[in-house]
Every structure is written in C-alpha cells, then in structure tokens.
Amino acid sequence: MSRGAFARALAARAVEPAGRRWLFVPYDQLTDAVGPLSREEPRRLGIVLVEAPWKAARRPYHRQKLALVLANLRHFALEQAARGVAVRHVVSPGAYADALAPLARELGPLRCMAPAERELRADLAPLVASGALELVPHEGWLTTRDDFDAAFPRGRRWRLDGFYRHVRTRSGILMQAGKPEGGRFSFDAENRRPWRGVPPAATPPRFTPDAITREVGTLVTERFADHPGSLDLGALPATADDAETLWRWALRACIPHFGPFEDALSTASTTLFHTRISALLNLLRLLPARVVADVAAAGAPLASREGFVRQVLGWREFVRHVHEATDGFRRLPDGTRPSVAAAPGDGGWSRWSGRPWPARARAGGAPRDPDGGARPAHLGAADALPPAFWGAPSGLACLDRVVADVWREGYGHHITRLMVLSNVATLLGVDARELADWFWVAYADAYDWVVEPNVLGMGTFALGDLFTTKPYVAGAAYVNRMSDYCGGCAFSPKRDCPITSLYWRFLSEHAERLRGNPRLAMPLRSAARRAPAQRKRDAEVAAWARATLARGERLVPPGASDVHAGSGS
Ligand SMILES: Cc1cc2nc3c(=O)[nH]c(=O)nc-3n(C[C@H](O)[C@H](O)[C@H](O)COP(=O)(O)OP(=O)(O)OC[C@H]3O[C@@H](n4cnc5c(N)ncnc54)[C@H](O)[C@@H]3O)c2cc1C
C-alpha cells in the first residue's frame, strides 16, 4: 500500500531516535514555546504523538473539529521533526494509555504536561500511577490554583470579578502603578453596542490547504462519514504559520473594534470583531500569554483591549479553575455531588438521525470508555434537545440562523452561544447535560474543561449561582435590540415571538427558586405584574412551542400557513 503524504513527509525528516528523552504531547499541547520542548535540546528530545480514532468517534464531533485537530497535530509533527526532534507518530485503535504503555516500555518513562482535559487525565491515570508517565506542570496557563484560592479567601463565592481583579493586579497586565489602566478594571458597561454595518465586519483569512491538510480532509470524509458538519479546509488554520496569520489578522482587524461590538449579533457575519482564536488557543497553537501581551501593548482603544484581556486572562482561566476545583462538577463546594451520566452523550444525534451513535460497535468494545460527565439540574430542566439544534427548521429565525452557522463553520461567537442557543434551550427546559454534549460536538473549540462550565454554569444555570450570578435568559426584545435576526422572522419580536412568552413563563415557573437574586429582582417584579390573562397566554404559548419543537416541527404564527410544517422531523 502506498504511503500517504504525511507519512512520506515525516519519514523524509526522520532523525536518529536513540539517546533521547521522550515526551508525550497530547493533541491540545501543540507548542514548543513552553514546557520541556521549549527548553531542551531538540537533538536530545523525542515526542510521541497519538491519533486515536476511538476518541474521535466517541461523540459525533463536527468534521471541521476533527480536521482541525488532526491537521494541526500532523503539521506539528513535521514542524518538530524539522527542528531535529525525533517524532514517533502512532495511530491507536484504543485509549491513549493503551497506546502509550508499550511505548513507555520501549523508550523509557514518558513525560507530559498535565492535560487540560479531564477525559484525557482519566485515560492516562493508570500510566501515571505505574510511573510509566510523569506529569509535569502545564505551562500554557496564565494563572495558578494559588491565584484562584487567593482570589476567594474564607469561602468567598466564586465570581469572575474577584478573580479577574486579583490576576490583573498580580500579573500587572493593563495596570499602572498598581492601579488599573483607565481607572477601572472593567469597561464592560461600554461594550454593549449593537452593530448596524459600520465599521465593516472583519473578514477572516482563508488558508490554502497543502497535501497534508488535504489528506486529513479525505481521511475525515471517509473514516468519519457519519459525523455531522461541513468540512471547509480553506477556513482551517493548520500550520504554525497559519496560526500566526490568523492572530495577525485578529490583532489588526478585530481588536480595535472588539469592545464596543462584543455583544452584537448579525446575519451579515458570524465573526463581527471576534478573533476566532479559541480553537487554536485550546490546542496551544496560539499561547494565551502571547495574545494577552500583544493586545495589552496594542494601540487599540482601552475598552477593546480590556474587553479582550478579560476574556482570556479572566473568563478562560476562571472556568478552567472552576472545572478543576470541582473535578468537572462532580464535587461541588457545598458538598453536593450531582449525578453523572453513565456514558458520553451524543447531544441528541441519535434521536435526530434515527440511528444509534455507532462509536461503541466500531471500537469493538475494546477501550475503557469514560463516564458521560456531571448532570446538574438546579432548575430541574430535563427535556430532550429539540431537533432544531440539528437543523430541523424551528421557525425562529435567530435559532435557525445560528444553528446553520454552527453546522457550517463549527464556530460561533460568545453571544450567539449564550443569548441565542443557550437562551432558547434554557427557556425550553432542556436537560443541560444534553445541551453541553451538543455544544461539545458542534464547536471546534470544545473540550470538557471549557464547554462544561460554560454550558452547565453560564449558559443554563444548571449549577445555580455556583460561579455566575443569574440565568442569562432574555425575551425577543433583547435579540431584536442586539441583532438583525428578527427582520427575517415570521414572528414579530414586539407582538408574538414565542421566545418572549417562554421568557415570562420561565420567570414565573422558577420565581421561587430565583427570588432573592438581586440581578433578577426587576424581571421577577415585571413577571409578577403580568395580568392573569397574559400569564395564561404565556403558559399556552410556551407549552405549544415546547411541544412543537420537540416533535421537530416548525413554529408558525397563528393564522399563517406553513408549507414546511414537519419537514425537518
Ligand atoms: C454556552 C457556551 C459554550 C461555550 N463553549 C466554549 C467552548 O467549548 N470552548 C471555548 O473555547 N469557549 C467556549 N465558550 C466561550 C466563548 O463563547 C468562546 O471562547 C468564544 O466565543 C470563541 O470565539 P472567539 O475566539 O472569536 O472569541 P473572542 O470573542 O475573540 O474572545 C477571545 C478569547 O477569549 C476566550 N473566552 C472568551 N469567553 C470565554 C469563556 N466564557 N470561557 C472560556 N474562554 C473564553 C476564548 O479563548 C476566546 O478565543 C462558550 C460560551 C458559551 C456561552
């Protein structure tokens, strides 16, 4: 059988493997700018890179994500080989531990920076226990557990603000003489403008796929044919140079306008002025320290620079600490232990497609499967995710648009995730675990440490006020103010949008549980003031919307005819 482009290119760069110390480099640590790879002599180092189709098939991951991870891993292998590092690239039919155990016997004990992902840590645990793998500190983070603990002394509640102030002060980033630049730690209040077309939205760079990336594209299309999502190799940064191109573009085209339009939504652009770097940050193709330093030193307005720094130095680090401190929400600080799903979920793929997710059958039952993650449900939400999240038209223009964008790109910015997808799912009473699994498979930047806090905590309030202050729910007025989605909708945001009825219904349904939350005092008062007839109508519309979407049918305004009804089910 002829060897492929990647195997040939790697063979052409092969170096003498003897006499080297070996590192295991997981798929999400593709950097030589930190850790042992940054310090040790390339000619004394070897790296082991593992491709595990079993892992890729564990959930119905978006094809763009699979291609992104594989293309970056393979290019990283070639980049390291070009530096003189010996590269052992293996494709394993099973778990990572199963692939690494024989290699540790052959090459001697391996080292690895402690993985960010809990699933990988659990996979590798037996090797660590046996001494075959030594975990060294992960040097890609900007903050430590000490920072997290110091920010919340004496059981103070976990809140982004306290953490962010602490790490700004400790790191000196955007600080002058011990004070925050501009006199305030946050310019959030100024960063809430809708976008009406000016300045023009930033256009993300395109990349020319080389033979290695094209080969990955073919592999993904053939081997992972069951997986959802479009594959667009031209949108995929695969090499170290591509990562640099993306970041240069983000600095130039996005950061100057990042702040004011941070919360805006538009049909004209999935990007607006967001940087699209999360997938590369999470693979360490771009380093958080570097992007934060570049933005802090950029000439952009302070509100934009601060807005970006808050996301990366603040939110990104904060959610990772919350994930670790709770062992992925299996152990909450008040002693509660949410139930845990027995097996990895598919985010509703099986119901949508009418077929069971074939991962187990294909893997031959060999590898150890992890559990399916914590299943908190502070508000008792337990409904299935409606087929609309898999592409069945819902009749809600905002939801249909964002869902189509995600299945096309594997990307969406924060507000589409929070105020459209999570908002609608929360108002519909969707099981937060199933929603988290859906986000995990649909987004190219999703890994347990980041997707679970964002969905179970911020997106759905399934963890109560563990680390966020309130459920981020809103009616159609918010979506209409911040976006142009409503213009293309059969419903009117002022008259009959079901999202508004769902919102009022949500507030009255959960009033008892939410009472006492200062940030909800006003909405709860407004909900309580609604006349009995309005409440009755809210309940009826909410029940109709839930039932219709659960059947995979399209919502149609009363009196309008629906030529498409049921087409997506
Ligand atoms: C329901 C929901 C699910 C999410 N799932 C993920 C996920 O799976 N992976 C992921 O990386 N981010 C996730 N986020 C956070 C955030 O939406 C994305 O990081 C961001 O939209 C990525 O786009 P960008 O690179 O253009 O970000 P920008 O808007 O340009 O922001 C810059 C960077 O800040 C970081 N950041 C911003 N907000 C967060 C946050 N809340 N948590 C962690 N990092 C943050 C990201 O690294 C991002 O690249 C989620 C948010 C929500 C509300």
Side-chain angles (χ1 to χ4, degrees):
M1 203 170 78
S2 70
R3 286 200 297 177
F6 171 64
R8 284 197 308 276
L10 194 56
R13 295 177 192 195
V15 290
E16 173 55 47
R20 294 170 184 256
R21 286 188 78 195
W22 289 79
L23 297 166
F24 164 53
V25 179
Y27 42 81
D28 60 353
Q29 295 184 8
L30 305 179
T31 181
D32 60 14
V34 296
L37 263 176
S38 68
R39 287 186 290 270
E40 297 173 21
E41 272 279 315
R43 65 194 165 86
R44 298 203 181 284
L45 269 179
I47 58 171
V48 175
L49 291 161
V50 180
E51 287 183 19
W54 158 72
K55 167 129 185 172
R58 185 184 285 162
R59 299 183 175 81
Y61 293 116
H62 198 300
R63 288 181 206 191
Q64 189 76 355
K65 179 183 194 179
L66 297 180
L68 179 96
V69 174
L70 285 174
N72 275 283
L73 182 134
R74 290 183 174 199
H75 279 103
F76 182 74
L78 296 174
E79 289 154 12
Q80 291 310 305
R83 289 175 68 219
V85 175
V87 176
R88 188 76 174 262
H89 171 265
V90 295
V91 180
S92 162
Y96 285 83
D98 299 338
L100 295 174
L103 288 168
R105 281 195 293 275
E106 178 194 333
L107 304 168
L110 304 168
R111 289 172 297 157
C112 165
M113 290 201 293
E117 218 189 4
R118 187 186 184 280
E119 281 203 345
L120 185 59
R121 292 198 296 275
D123 185 337
L124 299 177
L127 288 188
V128 176
S130 73
L133 182 70
E134 181 199 349
L135 295 185
V136 300
H138 187 304
E139 296 176 25
W141 301 111
L142 297 169
T143 62
T144 62
R145 178 63 196 257
D146 284 350
D147 283 320
F148 189 70
D149 292 341
F152 306 112
R154 294 182 301 282
R156 192 179 297 167
R157 302 184 78 89
W158 296 341
R159 294 289 179 261
L160 185 270
D161 268 9
F163 176 74
Y164 180 54
R165 281 165 180 258
H166 171 79
V167 293
R168 283 272 301 276
T169 308
R170 201 264 299 142
S171 66
I173 293 168
L174 292 183
M175 301 290 288
Q176 276 169 350
K179 297 258 182 300
E181 253 183 62
R184 276 183 282 154
F185 278 99
S186 171
F187 289 79
D188 207 15
E190 279 147 57
N191 287 349
R192 289 184 189 148
R193 281 169 56 187
W195 179 75
R196 305 285 181 235
V198 180
T203 308
R206 301 283 299 172
F207 305 95
T208 308
D210 63 8
I212 311 297
T213 302
R214 291 199 304 275
E215 188 169 77
V216 165
T218 307
L219 187 150
V220 168
T221 311
E222 289 173 356
R223 175 148 198 172
F224 301 104
D226 294 324
H227 288 245
S230 308
L231 185 59
D232 177 3
L233 296 181
L236 192 152
T239 66
D241 287 348
D242 292 347
E244 194 59 27
T245 302
L246 183 73
W247 177 236
R248 292 269 142 224
W249 163 80
L251 255 183
R252 190 185 65 250
C254 305
I255 295 300
H257 307 294
F258 183 87
F261 303 110
E262 217 177 330
D263 285 3
L265 302 148
S266 173
T267 54
S269 166
T270 52
T271 306
L272 290 175
F273 305 100
H274 293 271
T275 61
R276 300 181 76 107
I277 60 168
S278 50
L280 292 186
L281 280 179
N282 297 351
L283 295 178
L284 288 196
R285 281 303 242 178
L286 288 172
L287 286 185
R290 190 267 175 106
V291 300
V292 165
D294 283 356
V295 168
L302 180 58
S304 286
R305 290 186 292 130
E306 188 282 314
F308 178 87
V309 168
R310 182 155 24 90
Q311 306 310 318
V312 181
L313 177 65
W315 276 112
R316 186 172 184 274
E317 297 281 322
F318 179 62
V319 299
R320 167 253 171 167
H321 286 300
V322 171
H323 158 85
E324 283 195 5
T326 58
D327 191 23
F329 306 110
R330 285 159 176 84
R331 257 189 352 246
L332 303 186
D334 64 358
T336 321
R337 289 175 179 265
S339 65
V340 171
D346 64 9
W349 185 93
S350 304
R351 271 196 320 280
W352 157 245
S353 66
R355 289 176 286 143
W357 180 244
R360 282 165 190 279
R362 195 159 51 204
R368 295 176 294 278
D369 229 347
D371 65 47
R375 176 161 241 160
H378 179 70
L379 297 176
D383 280 14
L385 190 70
F389 281 71
W390 290 94
S394 72
L396 303 171
C398 54
L399 181 64
D400 291 344
R401 178 64 189 227
V402 174
V403 166
D405 289 344
V406 176
W407 288 120
R408 192 181 61 252
E409 299 185 13
Y411 172 80
H413 68 68
H414 189 69
I415 302 303
T416 52
R417 300 187 205 204
L418 187 64
M419 298 313 295
V420 178
L421 298 170
S422 300
N423 182 34
V424 171
T426 304
L427 295 180
L428 290 172
V430 167
D431 172 9
R433 179 71 248 168
E434 183 153 293
L435 184 68
D437 291 332
W438 180 86
F439 269 99
W440 198 342
V441 302
Y443 281 83
D445 59 14
Y447 300 89
D448 54 18
W449 65 268
V450 61
V451 77
E452 289 182 343
N454 271 298
V455 181
L456 302 177
M458 191 187 293
T460 58
F461 211 58
L463 289 157
D465 62 359
L466 177 67
F467 69 98
T468 52
T469 47
K470 59 164 190 169
Y472 288 89
V473 285
Y478 175 90
V479 179
N480 192 36
R481 185 166 68 251
M482 296 308 293
S483 80
D484 59 357
Y485 293 138
C486 302
C489 194
F491 293 95
S492 157
K494 299 214 168 105
R495 231 177 25 251
D496 59 4
C497 177
I499 295 179
T500 302
S501 305
L502 282 161
Y503 171 72
W504 290 122
R505 176 69 192 148
F506 174 93
L507 287 176
S508 56
E509 195 177 339
H510 300 295
E512 263 327 297
R513 214 170 260 273
L514 300 175
R515 205 178 307 287
N517 183 322
R519 296 197 58 192
L520 285 181
M522 216 162 68
L524 286 174
R525 264 200 308 276
S526 305
R529 275 201 298 268
R530 286 178 76 73
Q534 287 175 312
R535 285 160 178 266
K536 183 165 171 285
R537 177 147 177 76
D538 294 340
E540 283 166 4
V541 174
W544 164 74
R546 278 179 163 191
T548 307
L549 294 176
R551 289 194 302 272
E553 291 171 12
R554 181 195 292 257
L555 297 167
V556 181
S561 68
D562 181 19
V563 288
H564 304 286
S567 64
S569 58

